[in-house]
Structures are given as structure tokens and as C-alpha cells.
Coordinates of all heavy atoms in Angstrom, one line a residue:
I1 N 26.3 -54.7 13.5 CA 26.3 -54.9 12.1 C 26.4 -53.7 11.2 O 25.6 -52.8 11.4 CB 24.9 -55.7 11.7 CG1 24.8 -57.0 12.5 CG2 24.9 -56.0 10.2 CD1 23.4 -57.7 12.3
R2 N 27.4 -53.6 10.5 CA 27.7 -52.4 9.6 C 27.7 -52.8 8.2 O 28.6 -53.6 7.7 CB 28.9 -51.7 10.1 CG 29.0 -51.4 11.6 CD 30.1 -50.4 11.9 NE 30.1 -50.2 13.4 CZ 30.8 -49.4 14.0 NH1 31.5 -48.5 13.3 NH2 30.8 -49.3 15.4
S3 N 26.8 -52.2 7.4 CA 26.6 -52.6 6.0 C 27.1 -51.5 5.1 O 27.5 -50.4 5.5 CB 25.2 -53.0 5.7 OG 24.4 -51.9 6.0
N4 N 27.1 -51.8 3.8 CA 27.4 -50.8 2.7 C 28.8 -50.2 2.9 O 29.1 -49.0 2.7 CB 26.4 -49.8 2.6 CG 25.0 -50.3 2.2 OD1 24.9 -51.0 1.2 ND2 24.0 -50.1 3.0
C5 N 29.8 -51.0 3.4 CA 31.1 -50.5 3.7 C 32.1 -50.6 2.6 O 32.3 -51.8 2.1 CB 31.7 -51.2 5.0 SG 30.8 -50.9 6.5
L6 N 32.7 -49.6 2.2 CA 33.8 -49.6 1.3 C 35.1 -49.8 2.1 O 35.0 -49.8 3.3 CB 33.9 -48.3 0.5 CG 32.8 -48.0 -0.5 CD1 33.0 -46.6 -1.0 CD2 32.7 -49.0 -1.6
P7 N 36.2 -50.1 1.4 CA 37.4 -50.4 2.2 C 37.8 -49.3 3.2 O 38.1 -49.5 4.4 CB 38.5 -50.5 1.2 CG 37.8 -51.1 0.0 CD 36.4 -50.5 0.0
A8 N 37.6 -48.0 2.8 CA 37.9 -46.9 3.7 C 37.0 -46.9 4.9 O 37.3 -46.5 6.0 CB 37.9 -45.6 3.0
D9 N 35.7 -47.3 4.6 CA 34.7 -47.2 5.7 C 35.0 -48.3 6.7 O 34.8 -48.1 7.9 CB 33.3 -47.5 5.1 CG 32.9 -46.4 4.1 OD1 33.2 -45.3 4.3 OD2 32.1 -46.8 3.1
K10 N 35.6 -49.4 6.3 CA 35.9 -50.5 7.3 C 37.1 -50.0 8.2 O 37.1 -50.2 9.4 CB 36.4 -51.7 6.5 CG 35.1 -52.4 5.8 CD 35.6 -53.7 5.1 CE 34.5 -54.5 4.4 NZ 34.8 -55.7 3.7
V11 N 38.0 -49.3 7.5 CA 39.1 -48.8 8.3 C 38.6 -47.8 9.4 O 39.0 -47.8 10.6 CB 40.2 -48.1 7.4 CG1 41.2 -47.4 8.2 CG2 40.9 -49.1 6.5
T12 N 37.7 -46.9 9.0 CA 37.2 -45.9 9.9 C 36.4 -46.6 11.0 O 36.5 -46.2 12.2 CB 36.2 -44.9 9.1 OG1 36.9 -44.2 8.1 CG2 35.6 -43.9 10.1
A13 N 35.6 -47.7 10.7 CA 34.8 -48.4 11.6 C 35.7 -49.0 12.7 O 35.4 -48.9 13.9 CB 34.0 -49.4 11.0
V14 N 36.8 -49.7 12.3 CA 37.7 -50.3 13.2 C 38.4 -49.3 14.1 O 38.7 -49.4 15.3 CB 38.7 -51.2 12.5 CG1 39.9 -51.6 13.3 CG2 38.0 -52.5 11.9
A15 N 38.8 -48.2 13.5 CA 39.5 -47.1 14.2 C 38.7 -46.5 15.3 O 39.2 -46.0 16.3 CB 40.0 -46.0 13.2
T16 N 37.4 -46.5 15.1 CA 36.4 -45.8 16.0 C 35.9 -46.7 17.1 O 35.2 -46.3 18.0 CB 35.3 -45.1 15.3 OG1 34.6 -46.1 14.5 CG2 35.8 -43.9 14.4
L17 N 36.2 -48.0 17.0 CA 35.8 -49.0 18.1 C 36.4 -48.6 19.4 O 37.7 -48.5 19.4 CB 36.0 -50.4 17.6 CG 35.1 -50.9 16.4 CD1 35.7 -52.3 16.0 CD2 33.7 -51.0 16.9
T18 N 35.7 -48.5 20.4 CA 36.2 -48.1 21.7 C 36.8 -49.2 22.6 O 37.8 -49.0 23.3 CB 35.2 -47.4 22.5 OG1 34.0 -48.2 22.6 CG2 34.8 -46.1 21.7
E19 N 36.2 -50.4 22.4 CA 36.7 -51.5 23.3 C 37.9 -52.1 22.5 O 37.8 -52.9 21.6 CB 35.6 -52.6 23.4 CG 34.5 -52.1 24.3 CD 34.9 -51.9 25.7 OE1 35.7 -52.6 26.3 OE2 34.4 -50.9 26.3
R20 N 39.2 -51.9 23.0 CA 40.4 -52.3 22.3 C 41.2 -53.2 23.2 O 41.1 -53.1 24.4 CB 41.2 -51.1 21.8 CG 40.3 -50.1 21.0 CD 41.2 -49.1 20.3 NE 41.8 -49.7 19.1 CZ 41.2 -49.7 17.9 NH1 40.0 -49.2 17.8 NH2 41.8 -50.3 16.9
P21 N 42.1 -53.9 22.7 CA 42.5 -54.1 21.2 C 41.4 -54.7 20.4 O 40.6 -55.5 20.9 CB 43.7 -54.9 21.3 CG 44.3 -54.8 22.7 CD 43.0 -54.6 23.5
V22 N 41.4 -54.4 19.1 CA 40.5 -54.9 18.1 C 41.2 -55.9 17.2 O 42.2 -55.6 16.7 CB 39.8 -53.8 17.3 CG1 38.9 -54.4 16.2 CG2 39.1 -52.8 18.2
V23 N 40.5 -57.1 17.0 CA 41.0 -58.1 16.1 C 40.0 -58.1 14.9 O 38.9 -58.2 15.0 CB 41.0 -59.5 16.7 CG1 41.5 -60.5 15.7 CG2 41.9 -59.5 18.0
M24 N 40.6 -57.9 13.7 CA 39.8 -58.0 12.4 C 40.1 -59.2 11.7 O 41.3 -59.6 11.4 CB 40.2 -56.8 11.6 CG 39.5 -56.7 10.2 SD 37.6 -56.4 10.4 CE 37.1 -57.0 8.8
V25 N 39.1 -59.9 11.2 CA 39.2 -61.1 10.4 C 38.6 -60.9 9.0 O 37.5 -60.4 8.9 CB 38.5 -62.3 11.0 CG1 38.8 -63.6 10.3 CG2 38.8 -62.4 12.5
G26 N 39.4 -61.1 8.0 CA 38.9 -60.8 6.6 C 39.7 -61.6 5.5 O 40.6 -62.4 5.9
D27 N 39.4 -61.3 4.3 CA 40.0 -62.0 3.1 C 39.9 -61.0 2.0 O 39.1 -60.1 2.0 CB 39.5 -63.4 2.8 CG 38.1 -63.2 2.1 OD1 37.3 -62.3 2.5 OD2 37.8 -64.0 1.2
G28 N 40.7 -61.2 1.0 CA 40.7 -60.4 -0.3 C 41.3 -59.1 -0.2 O 41.7 -58.6 0.9
V29 N 41.6 -58.5 -1.3 CA 42.3 -57.2 -1.4 C 41.5 -56.2 -0.7 O 42.0 -55.2 0.0 CB 42.5 -56.8 -2.9 CG1 43.1 -55.4 -2.9 CG2 43.4 -57.8 -3.5
N30 N 40.2 -56.2 -0.7 CA 39.4 -55.1 -0.1 C 39.5 -55.1 1.4 O 39.2 -54.0 2.0 CB 37.9 -55.3 -0.5 CG 37.3 -56.6 0.0 OD1 37.9 -57.7 -0.2 ND2 36.2 -56.5 0.6
D31 N 39.9 -56.2 2.0 CA 40.1 -56.3 3.4 C 41.5 -55.8 3.9 O 41.8 -55.8 5.1 CB 39.7 -57.6 4.0 CG 38.3 -57.9 3.9 OD1 37.4 -57.0 4.1 OD2 37.8 -59.0 3.6
A32 N 42.5 -55.8 2.9 CA 43.8 -55.5 3.3 C 44.0 -54.3 4.1 O 44.7 -54.3 5.2 CB 44.7 -55.5 2.1
P33 N 43.4 -53.1 3.7 CA 43.6 -51.9 4.6 C 43.1 -52.1 6.0 O 43.8 -51.7 7.0 CB 42.7 -50.8 3.9 CG 42.6 -51.4 2.5 CD 42.6 -52.8 2.5
V34 N 41.9 -52.7 6.2 CA 41.3 -52.8 7.5 C 42.2 -53.8 8.4 O 42.3 -53.7 9.7 CB 39.9 -53.1 7.6 CG1 39.6 -54.5 7.0 CG2 39.3 -52.9 8.9
L35 N 42.7 -54.8 7.8 CA 43.5 -55.8 8.5 C 44.8 -55.1 8.9 O 45.3 -55.4 10.1 CB 43.9 -57.0 7.6 CG 42.7 -58.0 7.2 CD1 43.3 -59.0 6.2 CD2 42.1 -58.5 8.4
A36 N 45.4 -54.2 8.2 CA 46.6 -53.5 8.5 C 46.2 -52.5 9.7 O 47.1 -52.2 10.5 CB 47.1 -52.7 7.4
A37 N 45.1 -51.9 9.6 CA 44.7 -50.9 10.6 C 44.3 -51.4 12.0 O 44.4 -50.7 13.1 CB 43.5 -50.1 10.0
A38 N 43.8 -52.7 12.0 CA 43.4 -53.3 13.3 C 44.6 -53.6 14.2 O 45.7 -53.6 13.7 CB 42.6 -54.6 13.0
D39 N 44.4 -53.7 15.5 CA 45.4 -54.1 16.4 C 46.0 -55.5 16.0 O 47.3 -55.7 16.2 CB 45.0 -54.1 17.8 CG 44.4 -52.7 18.2 OD1 45.2 -51.8 18.2 OD2 43.2 -52.6 18.6
I40 N 45.1 -56.3 15.6 CA 45.5 -57.7 15.0 C 44.7 -57.9 13.7 O 43.5 -57.8 13.8 CB 45.3 -58.8 16.0 CG1 46.1 -58.7 17.3 CG2 45.7 -60.1 15.3 CD1 45.9 -59.7 18.3
G41 N 45.3 -58.2 12.7 CA 44.6 -58.6 11.5 C 44.8 -60.0 11.2 O 45.9 -60.6 11.2
I42 N 43.7 -60.8 11.0 CA 43.7 -62.2 10.6 C 43.1 -62.4 9.2 O 42.1 -62.0 9.0 CB 42.8 -63.0 11.7 CG1 43.4 -62.8 13.1 CG2 42.9 -64.5 11.3 CD1 42.5 -63.6 14.1
A43 N 43.9 -63.0 8.4 CA 43.5 -63.2 7.0 C 43.2 -64.7 6.7 O 43.9 -65.6 7.2 CB 44.7 -62.8 6.1
M44 N 42.1 -64.9 6.1 CA 41.7 -66.2 5.6 C 42.5 -66.4 4.3 O 42.1 -66.1 3.2 CB 40.2 -66.3 5.3 CG 39.3 -66.0 6.5 SD 39.3 -67.3 7.7 CE 38.3 -68.5 6.8
G45 N 43.7 -67.0 4.4 CA 44.7 -67.0 3.4 C 44.6 -68.2 2.5 O 45.5 -68.4 1.6

């Protein structure tokens, strides 16, 4: 569980996860960077 994350913090968190590939699930503009950075980004569209 990672709290108090700004968009850049989410990107850093996903980039530093060691068990890969990483799938990120999110919604909204604030999740767009981390969805693009993940190996797979899933958007609640």
C-alpha cells in the first residue's frame, strides 16, 4: 500500500517494482502517466 502519491510518484513506484511485467489499473488524468509507464496500462474508461 503506497499513499500520498502524486502522478510522478506513481510513475516512480511502478518503475521500481521488481516483479515484472507490471499491469497498472487506473482512471482519470492523474493516472495517465503511470498507465503509460506500466508494461500494461488498463483504464477504467
Side-chain angles (χ1 to χ4, degrees):
I1 301 169
R2 306 196 185 189
S3 57
N4 299 307
C5 292
L6 294 174
D9 299 325
K10 292 182 180 181
V11 172
T12 300
V14 165
T16 55
L17 291 171
T18 56
E19 293 294 320
R20 308 193 77 86
V22 174
V23 181
M24 176 68 200
V25 188
D27 73 321
V29 176
N30 63 310
D31 291 321
V34 69
L35 292 177
D39 299 301
I40 297 177
I42 302 180
M44 302 284 291

